[in-house]
Amino acid sequence: APAEIVVVGSCMTDLVSYAPRLPRVGETVHGHRFAVGFGGKGANQCVQAARLGASTAMVAKVGKDTFGDNYIQNFKDNGVNIDHVGQVSEAATGVAPITVDDEGRNAIVIVPGANLFLGPEDVALARAAISGARVVLAQLEVRPETTARALRLARRHGVRTILNPAPAVPDLDPELYELSDIFCPNETEAELLTGVVVSGVEEAGRAATLLLQRGCGAVVITLGRHGAVVASQSDPAPRHVPSPSVTAVDTTGAGDSFVGSLAFFQARLPGLPLAEAARRACQIAAESVRSAGTQSSYPGRDGLPAALFQEE
Ligand code: RIB
Ligand code: NA
């Protein structure tokens, strides 16, 4: 059977240092812990959706190296279909050196490596998977033309599209808005795209209205511990969705947990109002913030309240 959710996106090996605070320019600080984890926005979102119980497939490139081999095993361990995950010898598996401070905040450098070898031709090869999916999900850690091709192909087959425009870029290809049924940036990305300083719920609402005008079906702006703001063409008045408050251990990848969960709800409970889907996704992402790492902190269906998985 075809996967319900196809993610066209990145895989990174996260190299995470935990330190009291982030170093300043030219400064060395002592860290107290180091961990290697599975990351990359595309794979994170895919794995979160898989842990919630969706059937998923990944379209991605890793290197022909140990990190790449381990990554493929990680997909298998999470039940993610890897028919369209390739290994290239031209570049190393993507890596993300990450520093996390004692408040759970982070600074990240990404070196995409093999991810940049994922091209539009790879999307074309995954046509059957994409056209048979319920939801296609993409981000901006692979080449922009690859992302555009994936969303175009999905759209042509009537498959729901979600774009998480991350990491932030100032001049996004305008076509990408029109190709997105749900456009889901965080506050920084929304700010860079609209020029609205997203310092609170009200400003996020203004940014959402501007983004809607660019042609997406719906906009969901995530606001970290303040939850999210949702607006859609059919229900354009911005709505605030709160997040449960938790003690943050590591916020890295919480946004990806949210987006992967949103994709899950679009695939499995498509009748759920978007604000309700976002509210549930906030609950799942908040859970991820309570423990260390990205994928290592993503909850599975068993660890979550059953009500999250029921129709309203
Ligand atoms: O969004 C978090 C992710 O961003 C990390 O896993 C890191 O790999 C970077 O891609
Ligand atoms: Na976490």
Side-chain angles (χ1 to χ4, degrees), residues 15-287:
L15 308 169
V16 196
S17 299
Y18 295 87
R21 56 186 179 76
L22 308 179
R24 281 190 266 276
V25 174
E27 189 191 18
T28 302
V29 302
H30 274 266
H32 40 71
R33 199 168 88 79
F34 174 77
V36 180
F38 296 106
K41 296 181 196 304
N44 288 349
Q45 294 169 19
C46 187
V47 165
Q48 178 62 86
R51 293 213 181 136
L52 298 178
S55 61
T56 59
M58 188 77 199
V59 180
K61 284 276 160 72
V62 295
K64 242 183 207 145
D65 47 30
T66 314
F67 282 165
D69 295 343
N70 291 347
Y71 218 115
I72 288 175
Q73 186 59 45
N74 175 57
F75 282 135
K76 290 183 189 162
D77 294 345
N78 282 282
V80 175
N81 176 289
I82 50 161
D83 290 353
H84 299 286
V85 178
Q87 284 189 285
V88 300
S89 41
E90 294 92 332
T93 299
V95 291
I98 301 176
T99 310
V100 177
D101 73 11
D102 280 349
E103 276 151 84
R105 298 176 301 192
N106 62 56
I108 308 181
V109 174
I110 59 168
V111 185
N115 290 294
L116 299 183
F117 286 81
L118 186 74
E121 65 283 1
D122 297 303
V123 174
L125 288 171
R127 174 183 310 256
I130 289 173
S131 62
R134 292 189 186 165
V135 173
V136 164
L137 177 53
Q139 313 74 25
L140 302 177
E141 280 183 341
V142 298
R143 282 151 53 193
E145 62 269 30
T146 305
T147 299
R149 184 68 171 271
L151 297 178
R152 244 183 258 131
L153 188 58
R155 191 43 83 69
R156 198 181 317 137
H157 289 92
V159 177
R160 287 196 196 208
T161 55
I162 303 179
L163 176 62
N164 168 228
V169 293
D171 44 5
L172 191 68
D173 173 0
E175 188 196 0
L176 293 179
Y177 294 104
E178 285 165 22
L179 288 171
S180 302
D181 290 323
I182 303 181
F183 187 82
C184 185
N186 69 10
E187 61 265 73
T188 324
E189 290 141 11
E191 182 167 327
L192 206 65
L193 294 169
T194 61
V196 175
V197 179
V198 182
S199 51
V201 169
E202 207 170 304
E203 293 80 3
R206 278 203 287 133
T209 301
L210 289 174
L211 292 171
L212 258 191
Q213 286 165 0
R214 295 183 190 168
C216 13
V219 176
V220 178
I221 301 179
T222 58
L223 303 171
R225 62 196 174 84
H226 299 296
V229 162
V230 175
S232 67
Q233 297 293 351
S234 55
D235 195 0
R239 266 170 216 256
H240 178 225
V241 175
S243 168
S245 77
V246 293
T247 307
V249 169
D250 186 351
T251 60
T252 314
D256 297 332
S257 169
F258 179 92
V259 176
S261 301
L262 195 64
F264 170 84
F265 291 121
Q266 290 300 304
R268 277 295 174 86
L269 298 173
L272 217 55
L274 187 57
E276 175 59 17
R279 191 188 66 76
R280 296 184 189 191
C282 278
Q283 260 184 271
I284 297 167
E287 211 41 62

